[in-house]
Amino acid sequence: MTIATLDHRFTEFLLESNALKFGDFTLKSGRKSPYFINAGAFDDGKKIAALGAFYAEKISQAIVHNTIPRNIDTVFGPAYKGIPLAVSAAASLYRNYDRDLPYCFNRKEAKDHGADKGNLLGYEPKDGDRVVMVEDVTTSGKSIDETYPKVKAAADVEIKGLIVSLNRMEVGKGGVTTAQKEIEAKYGFPVASIVSMAEVVETLYNHEIDGKVVIDDELKTAIDAYYEQYGARE
């Protein structure tokens, strides 16, 4: 019996959760996209637990392949969408891989009073800590540009990697390589995705899911046209 790969299983999970939608969408960047990832669709315990399990599996794979080191000290999620990702990933790492890691996340605005004042909540990072970050989708790298200095300001930590759900495989702000590659070049840590858009298309094009072809020839043509304009090679 063939066991479905991580990218295949995650693609089906995105569809089942109604998080992956196809149509005509305008992104924050202003680009007209034939598909959209809605992180708000992970809105119950079953879905967020499954999502955390996928992130934990990808983190564990990255450790096995020496993409990120084994001795990670904490999982960090940028506010706001990264918060449930960090919590659920840490829970799944403990439950499924016997790795008990603390988690932390940032506030959008620092709190200047009380025992929990500062920019971060949860675990308080210490100098030398090795951090893996989790985020939903990286399109331009703007979120990391905003949160990276906040994490580094809290303590002299080492960011060892960033895990995202989907690699959109689009050109970043530099207009040449993907946003993920731009982040790697700028900050010096690896970025890994649970699935790439190329893998999503490979899984769904002319293949039936629950008796329905999700990406038919017409939609495939629209996706190809989008990547002719905005696509980038790894």
Side-chain angles (χ1 to χ4, degrees), residues 31 35 137-139 166-172 176-180 193 195-201 226-227 230-234:
R31 297 174 182 175
Y35 71 94
V137 178
T138 296
T139 302
L166 173 72
N167 180 0
R168 288 187 62 100
M169 301 178 65
E170 299 174 26
V171 290
V176 178
T177 61
T178 63
Q180 291 191 190
S193 59
V195 71
S196 70
M197 195 56 199
E199 291 167 332
V200 169
V201 173
Y226 182 77
Y227 279 96
Y230 298 117
R233 294 188 179 276
E234 284 287 359

Side-chain angles (χ1 to χ4, degrees), residues 177-231:
T177 61
T178 63
Q180 291 191 190
K181 290 299 181 183
E182 288 182 349
I183 291 170
E184 289 179 337
K186 183 175 182 178
Y187 294 110
F189 55 75
V191 182
S193 59
I194 300 175
V195 71
S196 70
M197 195 56 199
E199 291 167 332
V200 169
V201 173
E202 181 180 359
T203 297
L204 299 180
Y205 178 48
N206 280 342
H207 292 166
E208 288 190 1
I209 302 294
D210 293 332
K212 178 183 177 182
V213 173
V214 180
I215 299 181
D216 56 17
D217 290 339
E218 182 180 357
L219 180 54
K220 177 65 160 53
T221 298
I223 294 172
D224 288 345
Y226 182 77
Y227 279 96
E228 279 292 322
Q229 185 172 5
Y230 298 117

